[in-house]
Amino acid sequence: MIAVQGFKDQKVAVLGLGRSGLSAARALKAGGATPICWDDNPGAREAAHEEGFDVAPLGRASDYEGIAALIVSPGIPHLYPAPNKAVVAAQAAGVPVDNDIGLFFRSLATRDWDGFDTAPRVIAVTGSNGKSTTSALIHHVLTEAGRTAQLAGNIGRGVLDIDPPEDGGVVVLELSSYQTELARALTPDVAVFTNLSPDHLDRHGGFGGYFAAKRRLFAEGGPDRAIIGVDESEGRFLAGQLSEGPGDDRVIRVSVDGKLEGPGWSVFARKGFLSEYRKGRQAASVDLRPIKGLPGVHNHQNACAAFAACRALGLAPRVIEGAFHSFAGLPHRSQIVAEKDGVTFVNDSKATNVDAALMALLAFKNIRWICGGLAKEGGIAGLKPGLPNVTKAYVIGREADAFALQLGDTEAETCTTMARAVARAIEEAQPGDTVLLAPAAASFDQYDSFEKRGEDFIAELRARL
């Protein structure tokens, strides 16, 4: 556990008692603070009380008398679409609002570090798509290289639940926009921006607010090295803002759209080959095509970002390449779950938006595509470039008919349930086909999470193969 510093003998309010909220309360207590906890869910309040925490309402300004700070869980809005009443009350009382990410960065370094030969490092990864795979891949490479590394944040353990890093240790964090937008301290050593596409727009007051939340990791964090995906205009803008000139190698540009020119530091992938360039010369090359855990252009982008992050820590290209080959991928993200009779079955349930689903459609050929769910804003027109790879779509979800109508000339069958979609796809699949779950929609019309949806897909396959 990372004991929170700076609040000894003070009361700190904690709003939201899920994983991050309870973790923050425990870490505050370990640092000598007295957490005052609240959650609208009576069961969560009872669990906190049984754990020994003080539980009290936080909805009025008078509730904040003697309170040093309010710590808010990521899912609780503090500005858009409307701030939670407890946040409004804290602000009215002049109480600072923070989250567990802010607590982590203000508390990580301790006096023990004075005796270390090598200070621990933090790599923080954000972006719309690919940040989980990129984070896990960085962690995997570091571990394979013999470095002590921990994976936390939006993946793995809560940031305050990790062990205090050892001499030379590395902490790899996946950070969502919900986490970066509010944290009062953001000081990674290496920060990674994978890409940007519309998501969570209601929470951030539009696309500009969404980008601003991601940008805080770089603009306020001041990382020693910034690794920026520059295939969107926002990434190019961010790289330009952070760089002092064309040769500034504190910014490493990443692309899968084409070769990156110039005297700076860049990592890009073309036709399955990753290339690293420094000062206008090629420094390394990796053939990504045979790496089964990283299929498709979207995973090649993840590989480029992870390669750049590991190179920023001084790892040799061949060490990184070797570790890439042993990376199995993450569940629900272009995960090959079965192969039978020449048919490959892929679980990409995490493809909850159009951009992520498009990357999956472009990664495979002869696709029998299981798609649909709770549609997001903007429709599915952005999937058009990937539809030529689809042999047939099997549409699930409560809005299956409406989703199927948007597919135009692509053959589609309304299945509604996962069981029927899997059964029909298996029945019609031919050798060389890929049965792909890449919904391009949220899961909440039928499942509690994209993980549950992916698990159901796998269970239905196992029952039939």
Side-chain angles (χ1 to χ4, degrees), residues 377-403:
E377 292 182 20
I380 62 172
L383 292 169
K384 187 175 180 179
L387 294 181
N389 290 343
V390 176
T391 301
K392 183 176 177 179
Y394 305 83
V395 188
I396 63 174
R398 296 176 186 174
E399 302 171 354
D401 286 329
F403 193 102

mmCIF file of all heavy atoms in Angstrom, residues 377-403:
data_model
loop_
_atom_site.group_PDB
_atom_site.id
_atom_site.type_symbol
_atom_site.label_atom_id
_atom_site.label_comp_id
_atom_site.label_asym_id
_atom_site.label_seq_id
_atom_site.Cartn_x
_atom_site.Cartn_y
_atom_site.Cartn_z
ATOM 1 N N GLU A 377 -23.204 7.610 -29.320
ATOM 2 C CA GLU A 377 -23.513 8.736 -30.185
ATOM 3 C C GLU A 377 -22.719 8.669 -31.485
ATOM 4 O O GLU A 377 -21.597 8.190 -31.524
ATOM 5 C CB GLU A 377 -23.175 10.055 -29.465
ATOM 6 C CG GLU A 377 -24.073 10.368 -28.284
ATOM 7 C CD GLU A 377 -23.727 11.701 -27.653
ATOM 8 O OE1 GLU A 377 -23.086 12.529 -28.329
ATOM 9 O OE2 GLU A 377 -24.093 11.920 -26.491
ATOM 10 N N GLY A 378 -23.342 9.149 -32.571
ATOM 11 C CA GLY A 378 -22.624 9.265 -33.830
ATOM 12 C C GLY A 378 -22.870 8.157 -34.822
ATOM 13 O O GLY A 378 -22.447 8.253 -35.974
ATOM 14 N N GLY A 379 -23.562 7.074 -34.402
ATOM 15 C CA GLY A 379 -23.834 5.996 -35.334
ATOM 16 C C GLY A 379 -22.592 5.191 -35.661
ATOM 17 O O GLY A 379 -21.549 5.310 -35.012
ATOM 18 N N ILE A 380 -22.692 4.361 -36.716
ATOM 19 C CA ILE A 380 -21.602 3.446 -37.052
ATOM 20 C C ILE A 380 -21.043 3.701 -38.457
ATOM 21 O O ILE A 380 -20.385 2.833 -39.035
ATOM 22 C CB ILE A 380 -22.055 1.976 -36.923
ATOM 23 C CG1 ILE A 380 -23.206 1.659 -37.888
ATOM 24 C CG2 ILE A 380 -22.454 1.674 -35.486
ATOM 25 C CD1 ILE A 380 -23.562 0.186 -37.932
ATOM 26 N N ALA A 381 -21.270 4.888 -38.993
ATOM 27 C CA ALA A 381 -20.770 5.185 -40.337
ATOM 28 C C ALA A 381 -19.255 5.029 -40.424
ATOM 29 O O ALA A 381 -18.718 4.677 -41.475
ATOM 30 C CB ALA A 381 -21.185 6.601 -40.739
ATOM 31 N N GLY A 382 -18.555 5.259 -39.317
ATOM 32 C CA GLY A 382 -17.102 5.153 -39.315
ATOM 33 C C GLY A 382 -16.578 3.752 -39.540
ATOM 34 O O GLY A 382 -15.380 3.565 -39.784
ATOM 35 N N LEU A 383 -17.455 2.751 -39.495
ATOM 36 C CA LEU A 383 -17.036 1.364 -39.722
ATOM 37 C C LEU A 383 -16.895 1.025 -41.202
ATOM 38 O O LEU A 383 -16.382 -0.048 -41.545
ATOM 39 C CB LEU A 383 -18.052 0.400 -39.096
ATOM 40 C CG LEU A 383 -18.136 0.397 -37.569
ATOM 41 C CD1 LEU A 383 -19.353 -0.398 -37.117
ATOM 42 C CD2 LEU A 383 -16.871 -0.217 -36.972
ATOM 43 N N LYS A 384 -17.329 1.908 -42.071
ATOM 44 C CA LYS A 384 -17.401 1.604 -43.504
ATOM 45 C C LYS A 384 -16.097 1.067 -44.090
ATOM 46 O O LYS A 384 -16.120 0.103 -44.874
ATOM 47 C CB LYS A 384 -17.857 2.848 -44.273
ATOM 48 C CG LYS A 384 -18.129 2.594 -45.744
ATOM 49 C CD LYS A 384 -18.699 3.826 -46.427
ATOM 50 C CE LYS A 384 -18.978 3.573 -47.888
ATOM 51 N NZ LYS A 384 -19.552 4.777 -48.566
ATOM 52 N N PRO A 385 -14.911 1.618 -43.756
ATOM 53 C CA PRO A 385 -13.671 1.089 -44.358
ATOM 54 C C PRO A 385 -13.402 -0.380 -44.025
ATOM 55 O O PRO A 385 -12.682 -1.055 -44.768
ATOM 56 C CB PRO A 385 -12.582 1.992 -43.766
ATOM 57 C CG PRO A 385 -13.287 3.261 -43.412
ATOM 58 C CD PRO A 385 -14.642 2.833 -42.949
ATOM 59 N N GLY A 386 -13.970 -0.876 -42.917
ATOM 60 C CA GLY A 386 -13.710 -2.261 -42.533
ATOM 61 C C GLY A 386 -14.736 -3.251 -43.023
ATOM 62 O O GLY A 386 -14.515 -4.472 -42.969
ATOM 63 N N LEU A 387 -15.858 -2.760 -43.546
ATOM 64 C CA LEU A 387 -16.942 -3.667 -43.929
ATOM 65 C C LEU A 387 -16.606 -4.590 -45.093
ATOM 66 O O LEU A 387 -17.157 -5.704 -45.161
ATOM 67 C CB LEU A 387 -18.210 -2.862 -44.224
ATOM 68 C CG LEU A 387 -18.814 -2.138 -43.010
ATOM 69 C CD1 LEU A 387 -20.089 -1.390 -43.408
ATOM 70 C CD2 LEU A 387 -19.111 -3.117 -41.878
ATOM 71 N N PRO A 388 -15.719 -4.213 -46.038
ATOM 72 C CA PRO A 388 -15.368 -5.180 -47.081
ATOM 73 C C PRO A 388 -14.746 -6.469 -46.545
ATOM 74 O O PRO A 388 -14.760 -7.506 -47.241
ATOM 75 C CB PRO A 388 -14.355 -4.404 -47.938
ATOM 76 C CG PRO A 388 -14.755 -2.974 -47.765
ATOM 77 C CD PRO A 388 -15.185 -2.871 -46.335
ATOM 78 N N ASN A 389 -14.206 -6.451 -45.329
ATOM 79 C CA ASN A 389 -13.625 -7.659 -44.742
ATOM 80 C C ASN A 389 -14.671 -8.552 -44.085
ATOM 81 O O ASN A 389 -14.350 -9.654 -43.631
ATOM 82 C CB ASN A 389 -12.573 -7.290 -43.683
ATOM 83 C CG ASN A 389 -11.320 -6.697 -44.291
ATOM 84 O OD1 ASN A 389 -11.079 -6.828 -45.488
ATOM 85 N ND2 ASN A 389 -10.516 -6.042 -43.471
ATOM 86 N N VAL A 390 -15.930 -8.070 -44.020
ATOM 87 C CA VAL A 390 -16.985 -8.804 -43.335
ATOM 88 C C VAL A 390 -17.764 -9.663 -44.323
ATOM 89 O O VAL A 390 -18.346 -9.152 -45.282
ATOM 90 C CB VAL A 390 -17.944 -7.827 -42.621
ATOM 91 C CG1 VAL A 390 -19.104 -8.584 -41.980
ATOM 92 C CG2 VAL A 390 -17.194 -7.020 -41.569
ATOM 93 N N THR A 391 -17.772 -10.963 -44.098
ATOM 94 C CA THR A 391 -18.568 -11.881 -44.904
ATOM 95 C C THR A 391 -20.039 -11.799 -44.509
ATOM 96 O O THR A 391 -20.933 -11.770 -45.357
ATOM 97 C CB THR A 391 -18.067 -13.326 -44.720
ATOM 98 O OG1 THR A 391 -16.694 -13.388 -45.116
ATOM 99 C CG2 THR A 391 -18.887 -14.304 -45.557
ATOM 100 N N LYS A 392 -20.272 -11.742 -43.179
ATOM 101 C CA LYS A 392 -21.646 -11.624 -42.679
ATOM 102 C C LYS A 392 -21.596 -11.108 -41.257
ATOM 103 O O LYS A 392 -20.676 -11.417 -40.491
ATOM 104 C CB LYS A 392 -22.357 -12.986 -42.725
ATOM 105 C CG LYS A 392 -23.820 -12.933 -42.278
ATOM 106 C CD LYS A 392 -24.491 -14.294 -42.435
ATOM 107 C CE LYS A 392 -25.937 -14.246 -41.924
ATOM 108 N NZ LYS A 392 -26.625 -15.558 -42.078
ATOM 109 N N ALA A 393 -22.597 -10.313 -40.867
ATOM 110 C CA ALA A 393 -22.716 -9.805 -39.505
ATOM 111 C C ALA A 393 -23.840 -10.538 -38.783
ATOM 112 O O ALA A 393 -24.889 -10.821 -39.371
ATOM 113 C CB ALA A 393 -22.999 -8.310 -39.517
ATOM 114 N N TYR A 394 -23.623 -10.838 -37.517
ATOM 115 C CA TYR A 394 -24.610 -11.477 -36.657
ATOM 116 C C TYR A 394 -24.858 -10.504 -35.504
ATOM 117 O O TYR A 394 -24.002 -10.346 -34.619
ATOM 118 C CB TYR A 394 -24.095 -12.820 -36.141
ATOM 119 C CG TYR A 394 -23.665 -13.745 -37.266
ATOM 120 C CD1 TYR A 394 -22.387 -13.632 -37.827
ATOM 121 C CD2 TYR A 394 -24.522 -14.717 -37.781
ATOM 122 C CE1 TYR A 394 -21.987 -14.463 -38.871
ATOM 123 C CE2 TYR A 394 -24.128 -15.557 -38.819
ATOM 124 C CZ TYR A 394 -22.861 -15.423 -39.364
ATOM 125 O OH TYR A 394 -22.461 -16.240 -40.388
ATOM 126 N N VAL A 395 -26.005 -9.838 -35.514
ATOM 127 C CA VAL A 395 -26.215 -8.676 -34.661
ATOM 128 C C VAL A 395 -26.937 -9.075 -33.378
ATOM 129 O O VAL A 395 -27.979 -9.749 -33.416
ATOM 130 C CB VAL A 395 -27.005 -7.583 -35.403
ATOM 131 C CG1 VAL A 395 -27.030 -6.304 -34.566
ATOM 132 C CG2 VAL A 395 -26.377 -7.294 -36.759
ATOM 133 N N ILE A 396 -26.374 -8.631 -32.239
ATOM 134 C CA ILE A 396 -26.951 -8.911 -30.933
ATOM 135 C C ILE A 396 -27.438 -7.604 -30.301
ATOM 136 O O ILE A 396 -27.216 -6.522 -30.836
ATOM 137 C CB ILE A 396 -25.933 -9.597 -30.000
ATOM 138 C CG1 ILE A 396 -24.731 -8.664 -29.723
ATOM 139 C CG2 ILE A 396 -25.465 -10.918 -30.587
ATOM 140 C CD1 ILE A 396 -23.758 -9.213 -28.685
ATOM 141 N N GLY A 397 -28.118 -7.736 -29.160
ATOM 142 C CA GLY A 397 -28.537 -6.560 -28.414
ATOM 143 C C GLY A 397 -29.993 -6.228 -28.601
ATOM 144 O O GLY A 397 -30.654 -6.689 -29.531
ATOM 145 N N ARG A 398 -30.483 -5.383 -27.714
ATOM 146 C CA ARG A 398 -31.892 -4.980 -27.764
ATOM 147 C C ARG A 398 -32.195 -4.114 -28.970
ATOM 148 O O ARG A 398 -33.344 -4.004 -29.397
ATOM 149 C CB ARG A 398 -32.256 -4.232 -26.479
ATOM 150 C CG ARG A 398 -32.149 -5.086 -25.224
ATOM 151 C CD ARG A 398 -32.423 -4.278 -23.975
ATOM 152 N NE ARG A 398 -32.189 -5.060 -22.780
ATOM 153 C CZ ARG A 398 -32.232 -4.572 -21.540
ATOM 154 N NH1 ARG A 398 -32.534 -3.285 -21.351
ATOM 155 N NH2 ARG A 398 -31.991 -5.343 -20.501
ATOM 156 N N GLU A 399 -31.164 -3.463 -29.520
ATOM 157 C CA GLU A 399 -31.355 -2.604 -30.686
ATOM 158 C C GLU A 399 -30.794 -3.273 -31.950
ATOM 159 O O GLU A 399 -30.347 -2.611 -32.867
ATOM 160 C CB GLU A 399 -30.655 -1.266 -30.449
ATOM 161 C CG GLU A 399 -31.145 -0.539 -29.209
ATOM 162 C CD GLU A 399 -30.302 0.678 -28.862
ATOM 163 O OE1 GLU A 399 -29.267 0.895 -29.527
ATOM 164 O OE2 GLU A 399 -30.677 1.404 -27.936
ATOM 165 N N ALA A 400 -30.853 -4.598 -31.993
ATOM 166 C CA ALA A 400 -30.221 -5.345 -33.078
ATOM 167 C C ALA A 400 -30.763 -4.977 -34.448
ATOM 168 O O ALA A 400 -30.005 -4.810 -35.413
ATOM 169 C CB ALA A 400 -30.379 -6.844 -32.834
ATOM 170 N N ASP A 401 -32.072 -4.842 -34.573
ATOM 171 C CA ASP A 401 -32.655 -4.518 -35.879
ATOM 172 C C ASP A 401 -32.160 -3.160 -36.372
ATOM 173 O O ASP A 401 -31.796 -2.998 -37.543
ATOM 174 C CB ASP A 401 -34.187 -4.515 -35.790
ATOM 175 C CG ASP A 401 -34.767 -5.925 -35.708
ATOM 176 O OD1 ASP A 401 -34.149 -6.847 -36.269
ATOM 177 O OD2 ASP A 401 -35.818 -6.091 -35.069
ATOM 178 N N ALA A 402 -32.142 -2.171 -35.479
ATOM 179 C CA ALA A 402 -31.699 -0.831 -35.865
ATOM 180 C C ALA A 402 -30.214 -0.840 -36.233
ATOM 181 O O ALA A 402 -29.805 -0.167 -37.191
ATOM 182 C CB ALA A 402 -31.954 0.145 -34.723
ATOM 183 N N PHE A 403 -29.417 -1.595 -35.500
ATOM 184 C CA PHE A 403 -27.994 -1.697 -35.800
ATOM 185 C C PHE A 403 -27.789 -2.337 -37.174
ATOM 186 O O PHE A 403 -26.992 -1.861 -37.993
ATOM 187 C CB PHE A 403 -27.296 -2.524 -34.714
ATOM 188 C CG PHE A 403 -25.792 -2.452 -34.732
ATOM 189 C CD1 PHE A 403 -25.110 -1.663 -33.818
ATOM 190 C CD2 PHE A 403 -25.038 -3.176 -35.650
ATOM 191 C CE1 PHE A 403 -23.716 -1.592 -33.812
ATOM 192 C CE2 PHE A 403 -23.662 -3.120 -35.668
ATOM 193 C CZ PHE A 403 -22.994 -2.317 -34.745
#
